[in-house]
């Protein structure tokens, strides 16, 4: 069972994150003008550091059946985005795709099998960043366009989650 294994991450629901957003209206126009060059206040820095030390609760962890019938645990992309917005503020972080490659497109018996890799960069308002690669696949769809779309989106989401480590 997934909840038996500790899941350590930098994101967690903390009250300090709410403090960071109390004056977000005042900072939002300033932050957009200096994104990547704005320093954290001492309070913001401490709140982020405290959040980085937290573990995710079981309510953030989802499970699915993988190859061979094995059960795997993961965090959904929308939860990672929500946690990042909560921790850094909606305008305190960003992600970008620096490269995306279609690794293969196979047509077998009228169905498409697609693999895509994506290099994703997550950057904070102070300019610090982390970049990682994600991978997405689509198997057995009849539409080439939908297969490519699914694999591309999956690769970007996977890359963003990995870059948030």
């Amino acid at each position: 069972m997934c909840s038996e294994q500790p899941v350590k991450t930098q994101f967690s629901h903390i009250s300090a994150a709410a403090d960071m957003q109390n004056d977000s209206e005042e900072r939002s126009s300033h932050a957009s003008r200096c994104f990547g060059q704005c320093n954290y206040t001492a309070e913001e820095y401490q709140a982020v550091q405290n959040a980085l030390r937290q573990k995710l609760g079981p309510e953030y962890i989802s499970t699915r059946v993988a190859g061979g019938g094995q059960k795997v645990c993961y965090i959904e992309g929308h939860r990672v985005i929500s946690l990042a917005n909560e921790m850094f503020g909606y305008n305190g972080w960003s992600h970008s795709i620096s490269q995306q490659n279609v690794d293969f497109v196979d047509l077998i018996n009228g169905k498409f099998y697609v693999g895509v890799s994506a290099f994703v960069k997550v950057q904070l308002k102070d300019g610090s960043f982390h970049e990682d690669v994600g991978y997405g696949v689509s198997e057995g769809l009849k539409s080439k366009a939908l297969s490519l779309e699914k694999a591309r989106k999956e690769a970007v989401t996977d890359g963003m989650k990995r870059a948030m480590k």
Side-chain angles (χ1 to χ4, degrees):
M1 177 108 188
C2 294
S3 60
E4 295 172 5
Q5 298 174 354
V7 177
K8 189 171 184 178
T9 182
Q10 62 188 11
F11 302 110
S12 178
H13 178 73
I14 60 169
S15 60
D19 294 340
M20 287 173 51
Q21 292 185 352
N22 284 343
D23 61 345
S24 65
E25 292 82 19
E26 297 171 9
R27 294 185 324 229
S28 64
S29 63
H30 177 68
S32 64
R33 283 182 268 135
C34 68
F35 190 84
Q37 301 172 16
C38 296
N39 291 326
Y40 283 101
T41 65
E43 295 82 16
E44 288 174 325
Y45 180 82
Q46 192 58 50
V48 169
Q49 291 304 308
N50 290 340
L52 292 174
R53 292 184 192 100
Q54 302 296 316
K55 292 183 179 182
L56 284 180
E59 67 273 14
Y60 291 98
I61 307 302
S62 299
T63 60
R64 65 178 173 83
V65 177
Q70 186 177 13
K71 186 176 176 181
V72 294
C73 302
Y74 67 101
I75 182 169
E76 295 177 74
H78 70 92
R79 291 190 189 275
V80 171
I81 292 169
S82 293
L83 288 167
N85 285 340
E86 184 179 322
M87 182 188 301
F88 304 116
Y90 74 94
N91 61 352
W93 72 284
S94 69
H95 74 285
S96 58
I97 304 161
S98 47
Q99 185 177 350
Q100 194 171 65
N101 302 313
V102 177
D103 295 332
F104 66 88
V105 177
D106 295 331
L107 177 60
I108 302 171
N109 296 326
K111 295 183 179 181
F112 288 93
Y113 297 82
V114 177
V116 175
S117 58
F119 292 84
V120 180
K121 177 180 178 180
V122 172
Q123 183 174 4
L124 303 182
K125 72 177 187 176
D126 69 351
S128 60
F129 68 91
H130 184 238
E131 189 170 16
D132 212 326
V133 64
Y135 204 78
V137 295
S138 176
E139 299 177 321
L141 294 179
K142 292 183 179 182
S143 167
K144 183 177 182 179
L146 291 177
S147 295
L148 284 163
E149 177 189 31
K150 179 187 179 300
R152 286 180 183 273
K153 289 168 64 175
E154 190 175 299
V156 170
T157 300
D158 186 51
M160 181 195 59
K161 293 190 310 184
R162 289 173 179 270
M164 289 280 195
K165 287 194 268 181

